[in-house]
């Protein structure tokens, strides 16, 4: 009994384990299961599960008493709380605030980081950048130099172990090597009997491959004869062309297994589509096209026939069915289509296209018009088929009765009528369609054509043309009354279209009536000038001229408008139109010296010297103290040999205008006439009046230098440098004077002083390089050039000199560096063009010469190099084009150009003659 009441210590083994029980958890172990038990292993319980289990057992979580004593350490402060929706919203708000704070200074921070990164890379470039020049230099290494590079060898100074392993030689090699030196001294018995070895066949016969090839060719020819119908045995003939048979075999598209599989899958999809939705017309069309692509035309026609039965109201299905059939069957298909979709214009047009003669087409189209009388397209196609204008006029008359709102039909009818009846037709059209601007424009063009069609006095013609302006203006008003508001851009496009179609007066009328629309009063000038420039760039000169004419009526005192109008006439108009514009311009702007000079120059170029003098006399009245007008008058007299008159004009100009440029021109004039003493006297007087004008000192020094009076020339340059230390040309002339006197050391010293006074001047550095080269110091010249490039890193002049100072193999890499530093410099572009010229890359050289000229057309040396290039590699037309462009550009700068143009012997030579001299002087 006592034994039965004894407690069983192992009873817990048969009891269920408590919730979330983990064996050994009390002693710090974590439970796990193996794959052999229940499959893949799994992780132990999470912290939440453990906390829940402890809560069920009544245990409290251990809390470190020192955990929250540090005010800066808040880790785990709210770890035991529940994460609710308010907490989530708070986190989202704080996150948005953090993002906004980060975005406020992001651009500045990123710019600062990029700047620091660029600075770091500039201070510590990559190895790839450091060796970029050397890598480019590998391009010029010859094959011999490459082969002569020694092998690397073992540079580690460590002895390497030799591979002293041995291998057993196979017996086959030993036997083969032994038999190499053996000789056969006897013949085989079969070889002696048959004269050689024979290969026995199974049947004991010999194989003759020649007969086999002949038999194969014979079989192939018999098959081809049977197919082509030329076989003599059958006596039959077919329609197959024997000559094109093999060619047709080549055109057969052999589909791969992948393509065949794709076709099968697509066929299944389309089959499911048409079965699930048989009223879906595009599905039938796609299924038929798939069968056509697969080469199964019968199946394609069968499918499209089913599509026509299922979708009889779809015109696309009927059109696809007509396409898949031949011409006769297609007519039957479209005849059935008309029964179901008789209002389809496409069906009727397709049926008309199937007819081969015009009579059949007319019959189909007239039948179509019975069903669809309101189709503009059908009427137009019917009219186009008519060869007789009378019949076409009758059809169009009927068409505008049926469709009175079609502007196209009204305009077509007006074009076919006589001028008198056309005006009546357009009046009817305006009544029928009062919102159409095309009808008003057509009316204006009709009036213009009538004015120019017959001979009439000029006054009567002007009255007729004035009606065009009234018609267009009335049209614009009527359209506004009916609520039609076209933008000014659309009106200007209509004006350009009228100009391109040969109606300039209608174009002008449209511009007059609409160019001021939608433009603010303060923006009118800029807007109209931009409109004129845009029209001129698109080739519509008449529209641009009309816009400028209207702008000049509104702003008659704007010089910029008159200058723009004069430039337009000079580029695209006649000499008479340009003269008329300039005469009106000087009348409204008498103080505009440029306009007076342009008018006088045009008169002079036209050979009207008295007219040019008269223009300048009128300009004197309006501008008595104008320096440019005085000098222009002197130039006209000097160019025409009137030396005395020119001298008197200069004397009067020095008295009336009294400017430093007039004094300089007076000295130059006397020097050109050989009056050196008079020129020196004039210069002395001018220098006293204008001590800061550097060109006076230059001319004075050059005159003394020509006289070999180096001391006086040196004094003139020294005085000029003292007064004008920032004038680079004075320093250069003084340096060249010392060189001419044989004092190169003094020339160097002068240039050093000049660079101190004018830091960053590439011209002074280039002159210093030239001094070193002329004195024979090539190495010193390269050093000076390198120093100059360090100070003037973007100088095209110094980069050009650097490229030519390099040996030929490295010039291309140096030119690449120059293009990176000074990409748009005309001297660098011209140098690159000359490099391509040297490499016989003609087209590239021509393109780079054009780029150089476009960058700066005022550099005469570039024009000379381009003409020299065309003389060697171009034709006469290309050479004449270069000369023509150079004369239009009228360059004035360039070392060689200036030295030749300012030579006294070339004083009266034209731009073309100077270009020839420069081209011959360049080397």
């Amino acid at each position: 009994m006592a034994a039965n009441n004894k407690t069983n210590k192992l009873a817990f083994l048969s009891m269920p384990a408590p919730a979330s029980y983990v064996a050994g958890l009390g002693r710090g172990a974590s439970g796990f299961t193996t794959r052999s038990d229940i499959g893949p292993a799994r992780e132990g319980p999470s912290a939440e599960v453990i906390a829940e289990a402890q809560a069920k057992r009544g245990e409290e979580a251990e809390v470190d008493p020192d955990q929250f004593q540090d005010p800066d350490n808040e880790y785990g402060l709210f770890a035991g709380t529940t994460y609710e929706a308010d907490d989530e919203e708070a986190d989202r708000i704080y996150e948005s605030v953090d993002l906004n704070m980060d975005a406020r200074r992001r651009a500045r921070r990123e710019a600062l980081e990029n700047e620091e990164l660029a600075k770091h890379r500039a201070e510590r470039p990559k190895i790839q950048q450091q060796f970029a020049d050397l890598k480019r230099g590998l391009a010029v290494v010859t094959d011999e130099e490459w082969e002569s590079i020694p092998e690397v060898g073992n540079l580690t100074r460590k002895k390497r172990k030799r591979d002293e392993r041995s291998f057993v030689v196979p017996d086959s090699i030993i036997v083969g090597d032994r038999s190499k030196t053996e000789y056969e001294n006897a013949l085989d018995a079969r070889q002696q009997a048959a004269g050689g070895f024979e290969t026995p066949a199974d049947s004991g016969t010999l194989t003759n491959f020649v007969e086999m090839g002949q038999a194969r060719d014979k079989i192939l020819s018999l098959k081809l004869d049977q197919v082509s119908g030329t076989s003599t045995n059958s006596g039959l003939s077919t329609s197959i062309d024997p000559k094109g048979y093999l060619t047709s075999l080549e055109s057969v598209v052999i589909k791969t297994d992948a393509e065949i599989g794709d076709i099968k899958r697509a066929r299944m999809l389309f089959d499911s589509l048409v079965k699930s939705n048989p009223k879906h017309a595009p599905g039938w069309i796609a299924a038929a096209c798939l069968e056509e692509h697969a080469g199964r035309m019968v199946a394609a026609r069968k499918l499209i026939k089913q599509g026509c039965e299922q979708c009889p109201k779809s015109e696309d299905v009927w059109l696809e069915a007509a396409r898949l059939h031949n011409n006769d069957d297609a007519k039957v298909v479209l005849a059935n289509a008309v029964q179901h979709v008789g209002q389809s214009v496409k069906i009727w047009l397709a049926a008309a296209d199937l007819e081969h003669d015009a009579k059949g087409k007319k019959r189909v189209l007239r039948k179509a018009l019975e069903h669809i009388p309101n189709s503009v397209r059908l009427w137009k196609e019917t009219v186009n088929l008519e060869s007789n204008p009378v019949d076409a006029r009758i059809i169009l008359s009927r068409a505008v009765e049926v469709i009175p709102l079609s502007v196209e039909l009204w305009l077509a009818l007006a074009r076919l009528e006589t001028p008198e009846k056309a005006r009546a037709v357009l009046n009817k059209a305006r009544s029928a369609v009062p919102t159409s601007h095309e009808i008003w424009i057509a009316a204006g063009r009709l009036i213009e054509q009538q004015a120019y069609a017959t001979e009439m006095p000029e006054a009567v013609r002007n009255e007729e043309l004035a009606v065009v302006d009234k018609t267009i203006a009335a049209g614009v008003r009527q359209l506004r009354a009916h609520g039609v508001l076209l933008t000014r851009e659309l009106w200007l496009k209509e004006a350009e279209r009228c100009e391109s179609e040969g109606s300039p007066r209608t174009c002008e009328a449209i511009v007059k009536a609409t160019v001021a629309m939608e433009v603010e009063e303060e923006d009118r000038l800029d807007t109209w000038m931009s409109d004129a420039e845009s029209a001129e760039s698109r080739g519509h000169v008449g529209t641009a001229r009309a816009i400028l004419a209207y702008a000049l009526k509104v702003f008659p005192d704007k010089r910029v408008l008159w200058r723009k109008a004069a430039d337009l006439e000079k580029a695209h108009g006649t000499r008479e139109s340009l003269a008329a514009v300039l005469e009106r311009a000087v009348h409204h702007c008498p103080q505009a010296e440029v306009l007076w000079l342009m008018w006088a120059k045009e008169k002079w170029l036209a050979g009207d010297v008295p007219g040019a003098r008269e223009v300048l006399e009128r300009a004197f009245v309006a501008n008595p103290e104008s320096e440019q007008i005085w000098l222009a008058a002197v130039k006209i007299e000097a160019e025409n040999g009137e030396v005395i008159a020119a001298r008197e004009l200069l004397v009067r100009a020095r008295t009336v205008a009294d400017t430093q440029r007039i004094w300089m021109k007076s000295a130059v004039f006397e020097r050109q006439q050989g009056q050196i003493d008079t020129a020196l006297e004039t210069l002395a007087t001018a220098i006293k009046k204008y001590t800061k004008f550097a060109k006076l000192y230059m001319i004075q020094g050059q005159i003394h230098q020509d006289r070999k009076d180096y001391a006086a020339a040196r004094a003139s340059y020294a005085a000029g440098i003292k007064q004008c230390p920032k004038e680079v040309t004075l320093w250069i002339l003084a340096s060249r004077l010392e060189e001419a006197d044989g004092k190169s050391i003094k020339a160097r010293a002068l240039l050093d002083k000049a660079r101190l006074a004018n830091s960053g001047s590439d011209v002074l550095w280039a002159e210093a390089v030239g001094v070193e080269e002329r004195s024979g110091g090539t190495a010193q010249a390269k050093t000076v050039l390198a120093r100059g490039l360090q100070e003037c890193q973007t100088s095209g002049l110094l980069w050009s000199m650097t490229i030519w100072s390099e040996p030929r193999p490295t010039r291309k890499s140096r030119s690449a560096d120059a293009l990176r530093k000074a990409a748009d410099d005309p001297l660098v572009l011209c140098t690159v063009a000359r490099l391509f010229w040297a490499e016989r890359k003609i087209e590239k050289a021509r393109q780079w010469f054009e780029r150089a000229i476009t960058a700066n057309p005022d550099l005469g040396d570039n024009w000379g190099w381009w003409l020299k290039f065309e003389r060697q590699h171009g034709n006469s037309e290309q050479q004449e084009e270069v000369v023509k462009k150079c004369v239009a550009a009228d360059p004035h700068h360039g070392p060689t150009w200036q030295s030749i143009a300012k030579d006294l012997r070339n004083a009266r030579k034209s731009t073309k003659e100077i270009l020839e001299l420069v081209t011959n002087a360049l080397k």
Side-chain angles (χ1 to χ4, degrees), residues 488-500:
R488 59 190 303 274
E489 287 77 13
L490 292 176
W491 280 114
L492 290 178
K493 286 183 180 179
E494 291 292 337
E496 293 176 358
R497 185 173 62 85
C498 290
E499 179 191 354
S500 60

Side-chain angles (χ1 to χ4, degrees), residues 559-590:
R559 300 183 184 183
V560 63
L561 273 178
W562 287 110
R563 181 66 185 273
K564 183 65 180 175
D567 291 339
L568 181 68
E569 295 298 333
K570 187 176 181 179
H572 304 286
T574 61
R575 196 179 295 274
E576 291 76 14
S577 63
L578 176 59
V581 169
L582 290 173
E583 186 174 2
R584 292 172 53 212
V586 297
H587 174 71
H588 289 89
C589 303

Side-chain angles (χ1 to χ4, degrees), residues 430-431 433-437 440 470-486 491:
R430 284 204 300 265
S431 302
V433 193
T435 59
S436 173
H437 65 281
W440 289 98
K470 296 178 181 178
T471 302
I472 297 298
V476 174
R477 289 195 300 270
Q478 290 293 327
L479 290 173
R480 287 181 180 175
H482 287 87
V484 180
L485 299 176
L486 272 72
W491 280 114

Side-chain angles (χ1 to χ4, degrees), residues 653-756:
R654 292 199 298 269
T655 305
V656 178
D658 193 18
T659 63
Q660 57 187 12
R661 193 158 178 262
I662 289 178
W663 282 95
M664 182 197 71
K665 290 292 184 180
S666 299
V668 172
F669 176 76
E670 298 296 344
R671 184 185 178 190
Q672 291 175 352
Q673 301 304 322
Q675 304 296 326
I676 304 300
D677 295 333
T678 307
L680 289 174
E681 293 175 3
T682 304
L683 287 169
T685 306
I687 287 173
K688 291 178 183 179
K689 295 172 67 69
Y690 306 102
T691 56
K692 297 295 184 179
F693 191 43
K695 289 190 177 181
L696 298 175
Y697 299 101
M698 296 179 197
I699 298 171
Q700 190 182 45
Q702 288 172 347
I703 292 175
H704 289 307
Q705 188 172 351
D706 292 341
R707 287 182 162 187
K708 304 298 182 182
D709 190 357
Y710 293 136
R714 190 177 291 112
S716 297
Y717 290 144
I721 289 172
K722 184 177 180 181
Q723 295 294 332
C724 311
K726 297 296 183 181
E727 187 62 40
V728 175
T729 310
L730 266 176
W731 290 98
I732 293 175
L733 289 174
S735 171
R736 290 180 181 176
L737 174 65
E738 300 299 340
E739 271 193 286
D741 199 15
K743 301 177 181 178
S744 299
I745 297 176
K746 198 167 183 180
R748 292 193 192 97
L750 276 172
L751 291 175
D752 290 339
K753 291 175 62 179
R755 291 198 298 273
L756 291 176

Side-chain angles (χ1 to χ4, degrees), residues 2 166 232 271 283 511 568 655 695 770 844:
S166 59
T232 56
D271 186 48
V511 171
L568 181 68
T655 305
K695 289 190 177 181
K844 278 193 174 183

Side-chain angles (χ1 to χ4, degrees), residues 158-331:
K158 293 182 180 180
K159 292 184 179 180
R160 296 183 179 180
K161 294 182 180 180
R162 291 186 177 182
D163 192 1
E164 297 179 352
R165 291 180 297 173
S166 59
F167 302 92
V168 179
V169 180
D171 295 341
S172 59
I173 297 177
I174 298 175
V175 173
D177 190 43
R178 184 187 65 184
S179 62
K180 282 182 181 179
T181 57
E182 292 183 355
Y183 295 94
E184 293 289 340
N185 51 16
L187 294 175
D188 188 86
R190 290 178 297 168
Q191 189 176 5
Q192 292 180 10
F197 290 108
E198 297 178 355
T199 303
D202 294 339
S203 60
T205 59
L206 297 178
T207 303
N208 192 335
F209 292 102
V210 176
E211 293 181 357
M212 289 177 64
Q214 293 176 352
R216 183 194 60 188
D217 295 341
K218 189 172 182 180
I219 292 172
L220 179 61
S221 63
L222 287 173
K223 288 183 178 180
L224 290 176
D225 290 341
Q226 291 175 0
V227 173
S228 61
T230 58
S231 175
T232 56
N233 297 329
S234 62
L236 301 176
S237 61
T238 62
S239 60
I240 297 177
D241 182 14
K243 294 182 180 179
Y245 176 69
L246 295 177
T247 306
S248 64
L249 289 178
E250 293 179 358
S251 63
V252 175
V253 179
I254 301 176
K255 293 182 172 60
T256 61
D257 295 339
E259 290 176 335
I260 294 173
D262 293 340
I263 291 173
K264 289 181 178 179
R265 285 192 294 272
R267 186 180 289 122
M268 292 174 59
L269 289 173
F270 287 136
D271 186 48
S272 174
L273 173 63
V274 297
K275 286 182 179 178
S276 61
N277 190 4
K279 301 298 181 181
H280 186 59
W284 291 104
I285 296 173
C289 290
L290 175 67
E291 298 300 337
E292 180 189 10
H293 178 69
R296 302 173 59 188
M297 291 301 298
V298 176
R301 291 167 183 162
K302 184 178 179 181
L303 277 173
I304 204 65
K305 182 180 179 183
Q306 296 177 9
C308 293
E309 295 174 354
Q310 295 291 336
C311 309
K313 298 298 182 181
S314 173
E315 62 179 11
D316 294 331
V317 174
W318 289 106
L319 291 173
E320 185 67 19
R323 187 185 68 82
L324 292 175
H325 289 79
N326 55 29
N327 196 37
D328 296 332
D329 295 339
K331 290 180 181 180

